[in-house]
Amino acid sequence: MVIYLRILIAEDEKDLNRILTARLKAEHYSVDSCKNGQEVLEYMAGAEYDALILDIMMPGMDGYHTCSVQKQRTAINHLDFPAAGTIILRSHFPTVN
């Protein structure tokens, strides 16, 4: 029996969202994708995910706020957030001198 991980991608940049989704589906992951923090909360209210790939800089609710809200929701319901973990995507990295 093969068990495929279910992954939610939250990325507002359309091309990157499409590429990440296509690549993970090609590796046989079950993938849902959305474009903002509010959609993340809606998806997670309706399904369980093994991992979340989350952009930090999204319109409306940013990735940090999205994590905070979802963690509060899951703590109230005694659920995991998600069990395997969250991968945070950053578009800008600090330079080291």
Side-chain angles (χ1 to χ4, degrees), residues 8 10 34-42 44 52-74 81 86 88:
L8 177 60
C34 57
K35 295 176 180 61
N36 61 57
Q38 186 59 45
E39 287 182 356
V40 169
L41 299 177
E42 292 167 9
M44 293 191 80
L52 169 62
I53 299 175
L54 180 65
D55 185 13
I56 292 301
M57 298 178 65
M58 294 184 290
M61 188 183 310
D62 69 22
Y64 291 121
H65 190 167
T66 302
C67 276
S68 177
V69 171
Q70 184 62 25
K71 284 179 102 170
Q72 290 172 5
R73 285 181 175 185
T74 56
F81 171 69
T86 303
I88 304 294

Side-chain angles (χ1 to χ4, degrees), residues 1-94:
M1 177 181 192
V2 178
I3 299 174
Y4 298 104
L5 294 179
R6 187 166 189 180
I7 300 172
L8 177 60
I9 297 172
E11 170 59 61
D12 63 310
E13 204 271 273
K14 192 182 300 184
D15 289 336
L16 183 53
N17 189 312
R18 182 183 49 77
I19 290 167
L20 287 170
T21 299
R23 185 66 187 133
L24 289 168
K25 283 184 177 183
E27 295 296 326
H28 307 290
Y29 291 99
S30 174
V31 181
D32 291 325
S33 65
C34 57
K35 295 176 180 61
N36 61 57
Q38 186 59 45
E39 287 182 356
V40 169
L41 299 177
E42 292 167 9
Y43 273 86
M44 293 191 80
E48 290 185 24
Y49 292 93
D50 299 299
L52 169 62
I53 299 175
L54 180 65
D55 185 13
I56 292 301
M57 298 178 65
M58 294 184 290
M61 188 183 310
D62 69 22
Y64 291 121
H65 190 167
T66 302
C67 276
S68 177
V69 171
Q70 184 62 25
K71 284 179 102 170
Q72 290 172 5
R73 285 181 175 185
T74 56
I76 291 168
N77 295 319
H78 308 289
L79 302 170
D80 291 329
F81 171 69
T86 303
I87 299 168
I88 304 294
L89 299 178
R90 293 183 57 181
S91 58
H92 298 91
F93 293 93

